Amino acid sequence: MTFSRNPFCTFFLFALLFFSLTVILKKWHFGLQENKPFGDAACPDGLTPERDRLLQQLKERQQELELLDITFDNIQSSEGFRDLHLSTNHSVNYINAKTDIGCEELSGMKAVDFLGSGYTKTVLKAELPQGLFVALKSVNHQGTDMRLCMDEFQDSQGCHELVSFKLRKEIVLLQRLQHPNIVELKGQCQDSALVGGITAVLEQGMPLQMIQLLQSPWEERFRVCLGLVRLLQYLTHSPLGSVALLDFQPRQFVMVSGELKLTDLDDASIQEPACQEDSDCLLQFPLRNFTLRCSPSRICEGLNEMRNLYNAYRYFLTYLLPHQSPPLLKPLIHQIMNSTGDLKQSINETLAAFEEVLHTYKSGLHLENLPPSITRDYAVLKGVRSGGNMEYRCRLSYNQQGCVLSVHSASEAVLICNSHPQCTSFSLSSERTWTGRLLASFRSGFSHLVPDVNSAVYMRRVKASGAVL
């Protein structure tokens, strides 16, 4: 099915559709909707009502991409852009991402695994000729969006273009928004013969598994929450303005080397809702609602920020942050949970609270009241490690076959060993976690010692009666 039998009419419609910058930008959206015909006057004998609606939606998607470019160019040229760049916690280059991988590099790729698919996109794991593993994101031709479009318009070419706009938008956003907690865009290709249309080449991550995260050490769960809050602070003050994640779900994120990274951006919004009164600035969630103030400029300022923050609270912080947190950090954690759950603080204040927890945890300030004598009941053997170990398991261990926990110092390790009835010794090595804390291995016994300059063994002293102190 073609758009028109009249070549001039087809050219006119596409020129109007893709290159006109003079039309007034309308409120854009993500779903399908009815609109007033715009093409009948220009080509009255070539349009059906269905085709007219399809062309109108294609035009709106193109305007959405143009809005991203216009917004970015305006902000980048403004005086405040340099201040914004300097104020972010993670300095990045906001100019278009350098993408080295193109169609030529993908010609020799080897598909390794199917990573998943959604309404719009399919994701494959691929190995490039140079041995680099990447994620390839392309249009899902069997997905819900394509099926709904075909049911309504019966136009495979037009529906492919319409559905492709979500992926095109995501590529543009990944070029504009660069942050350690957003997946890196490594390249792109638009070649129907090679990749079946447009394909984004992304750094490869693992799908986020909440059940697995719940079973991981608190330090790793805190890392995920901290990365998420840092990301939301960046999105609030991004080069495109305040960005809302309208489809905020754990499935929109992946894990890359222990870091949480946002991978789906096609449902992001860079516009705050317009309003006439405060009641227009309503945030609705399943269990509670919030109302923000309508600003003098008739915009719900801060609504995107608060939407993101409360979604972070209900999807991530509630499950990951308080559970098995260090007892001496619980007051700080409790304050964070209260303030985010009631939206009492901004994202900047929330991030400051997280950074305080990180600093306290890394520096060991929460352990400053431990008496120096706490280690006196342990004999220290430096330059050795234990062999023939008798392991026991403990909750939230780094090693599921034993009990390996992170500690700030030997004193904290003693505190933990004293609280475990099975523990008779522990060892410290040079291995550290992402915070710089030591990894301590706790055990109920061992048979012999092995020389190791990077290790020390701490053994509970035994009373004359034979009881462990």
Side-chain angles (χ1 to χ4, degrees), residues 97-105 130 184-188:
K98 181 182 180 182
T99 53
D100 296 326
I101 300 174
C103 297
E104 183 178 351
E105 287 75 19
Q130 61 267 44
E184 179 186 354
L185 177 67
K186 293 184 173 294
Q188 57 180 297

Side-chain angles (χ1 to χ4, degrees), residues 274-278 280-281 292-296 298-301:
C275 59
Q276 294 297 322
E277 53 189 22
D278 291 352
D280 295 329
C281 301
L292 280 67
R293 296 210 170 184
C294 182
S295 71
R298 300 304 181 200
I299 297 294
C300 297
E301 290 182 1

